[in-house]
Amino acid sequence: MSLSGWVCLVTGASRGIGKGIALQLSQAGATVYITGRQEATLKQTATEMKERGGTCIPVICDSTRDQDIEDLVEQIKRDQKGRLDVLVNNAYAGVQSIFDSLGKKFWEIDPSIWDSINNTGLRGHYFFSVYASRLMVAQGRGLIINISSIGGLRYLFNVPYGVGKAACDRMAADMAMELRSRGVACVSLWPAAVQTEMIKKLVLGENVPDFIDPATKELFGKGESLEFAGKCIVGLASDKNLMSLTGRTIMTCDLARRYGIKEDDGRSIVDYSSVKFLLSQVPSLAWLVPYVPSFIRVPHFVLTLANSRF
C-alpha cells in the first residue's frame, strides 16, 4: 500500500479515466475524494472502490461552479487537518460535443462548444489547482496532475479541444515554475487512446457510426484499459525523484517504461514515441514496421519540432 495515509482528490471520477485513476489510488492505500455531477454514478464508483478495500469520499461537485470547488477543498482541509497530497484535474464535459461535431469545421459548429469543452476541462482545472495549492504549499509537498492529450501538440478533433489541451500543458509548466521552491510538483499527463465506457459504446461497439474510420477503431482496439493511467499516477506519486519531473508533459507510455508497468493481462501498451508506431501511421512507410525494433524511439523534442509553429 504505497500511498497509505495519503489524501488524494480526483475530479470527474464517476466514470472514464477519472474512475480508473481513483480506483488505483484507493487500491494503493490513499483516501480518495472523487467528484462528479451525478449522485448515482458517484455512489457506484465509491461502492466499487470500497469493495476493493479502499477509502472513498464521493462529493457532488460541478467544476464550472466556483463555490462548489472552494467548498470541497475547504471540506478536505477540515476533514484531513489540512492535508492534501495529490490533485488529479480530470473532469471533462465535452466528450459528447466532440463526437457530435466530428467532421465539421469550427465555423460550422455552435460556438458554445467552447464552453462545454473548456469551462470544465480548463477553467475548472485552474480553480481546483489554486485552492489545492494553498494546502500543498502550507504542508511543503504535493503533486498536481492535469489530464491532457497529444491534442495539445497537434490538431485533434476540433479547435476548442486543441486549444484547451495546449493550455492544460502550459498551465502545468507555468504552475510548476512557481511551485517548485515550495516542494510541490505539477505535470501534464497524456494517456493514449483509452477504452472508456463511451469509447466502447461509440467506437468499439456493434453499431459504430459511419464517421468512425477503421484506423480509429484499430487505435482504440489496442488502447489502454480504464485503470492504466491510474497505475502510472501511483508510480509517479511514489517516485523519490518526483521533483525532477515537475513542469513536464509526460505520456503514460513514458511512465510505464520508467516503472515497469503493464496491463493486467501482461500486455505492454503502445509506445507513441516509438519509430515503429510512427511509421505505422504513414501508409507509404508502413511496410518498414516489421523490420524496426520496438525499443527505437524518437526523442520528445523531435516530436515538438515536427509540430513547431516557429
Side-chain angles (χ1 to χ4, degrees):
M1 305 286 279
S2 58
L3 303 184
S4 180
W6 287 44
V7 179
C8 304
L9 167 59
V10 184
T11 69
S14 57
R15 60 170 67 88
I17 298 173
K19 176 181 178 179
I21 292 170
L23 284 167
Q24 284 295 313
L25 287 171
S26 68
Q27 192 165 299
T31 295
V32 185
Y33 287 75
I34 61 172
T35 77
R37 292 177 295 176
Q38 304 297 327
E39 183 177 12
T41 52
L42 267 180
K43 285 185 174 179
Q44 289 173 4
T45 298
T47 298
E48 189 171 344
M49 292 167 71
K50 290 173 182 176
E51 287 174 349
R52 294 193 187 188
T55 302
C56 173
I57 302 167
V59 180
I60 298 174
C61 176
D62 186 337
S63 293
T64 66
R65 293 174 56 88
D66 305 346
Q67 195 61 53
D68 281 9
I69 297 172
E70 187 175 2
D71 289 347
L72 171 55
V73 178
E74 275 298 315
Q75 177 184 340
I76 295 172
K77 183 178 179 179
R78 292 193 307 270
D79 293 350
Q80 306 301 329
K81 297 181 173 57
R83 179 167 185 170
L84 178 60
D85 299 284
V86 179
L87 164 65
V88 182
N89 284 316
N90 169 77
Y92 200 75
V95 176
Q96 190 61 56
S97 296
I98 289 170
F99 274 97
D100 291 344
S101 62
L102 282 178
K104 297 179 182 178
K105 308 302 182 186
F106 76 89
W107 63 87
E108 299 171 332
I109 307 169
D110 188 314
S112 64
I113 191 175
W114 175 275
D115 294 332
S116 66
I117 288 177
N118 289 324
N119 272 6
T120 297
L122 177 59
R123 186 180 185 277
H125 292 359
Y126 180 76
F127 272 70
F128 263 111
S129 297
V130 168
Y131 292 114
S133 291
R134 292 174 181 175
L135 300 187
M136 293 177 179
V137 167
Q139 67 191 14
R141 67 183 186 281
L143 170 62
I144 298 173
I145 301 168
N146 290 342
I147 301 300
S148 184
S149 86
I150 198 171
L153 182 65
R154 56 178 291 272
Y155 180 84
L156 186 63
F157 300 133
N158 58 42
V159 173
Y161 180 85
V163 173
K165 293 306 183 184
C168 281
D169 297 342
R170 180 57 188 265
M171 183 166 68
D174 287 1
M175 288 193 303
M177 289 285 292
E178 298 185 2
L179 288 168
R180 180 188 292 272
S181 64
R182 305 304 181 93
V184 180
C186 185
V187 302
S188 192
L189 181 64
W190 290 359
V194 180
Q195 296 177 359
T196 64
E197 300 93 339
M198 184 170 286
I199 289 297
K200 287 181 177 180
K201 178 181 177 181
L202 295 178
V203 179
L204 303 176
E206 296 181 358
N207 300 313
V208 180
D210 294 336
F211 56 75
I212 303 297
D213 59 79
T216 300
K217 284 198 67 173
E218 182 180 2
L219 182 67
F220 280 98
K222 297 178 180 178
E224 298 175 9
S225 66
L226 201 63
E227 297 184 37
F228 193 81
K231 295 180 181 181
C232 293
I233 287 174
V234 170
L236 180 65
S238 308
D239 198 315
K240 300 298 183 183
N241 296 311
L242 174 61
M243 293 307 295
S244 68
L245 301 175
T246 190
R248 290 178 53 181
T249 295
I250 308 171
M251 299 181 189
T252 48
C253 59
D254 297 332
L255 297 180
R257 286 198 309 275
R258 185 180 179 95
Y259 306 123
I261 299 170
K262 293 186 177 183
E263 292 283 15
D264 288 343
D265 60 5
R267 173 175 59 94
S268 296
I269 64 166
V270 176
D271 188 336
Y272 290 93
S273 62
S274 71
V275 172
K276 181 184 283 287
F277 171 78
L278 295 172
L279 287 175
S280 72
Q281 302 305 296
V282 184
S284 61
L285 299 176
W287 64 274
L288 290 169
V289 170
Y291 305 101
V292 179
S294 300
F295 62 83
I296 300 179
R297 302 180 186 89
V298 175
H300 288 188
F301 77 86
V302 174
L303 298 178
T304 303
L305 290 174
N307 292 275
S308 177
R309 296 177 289 277
F310 296 97

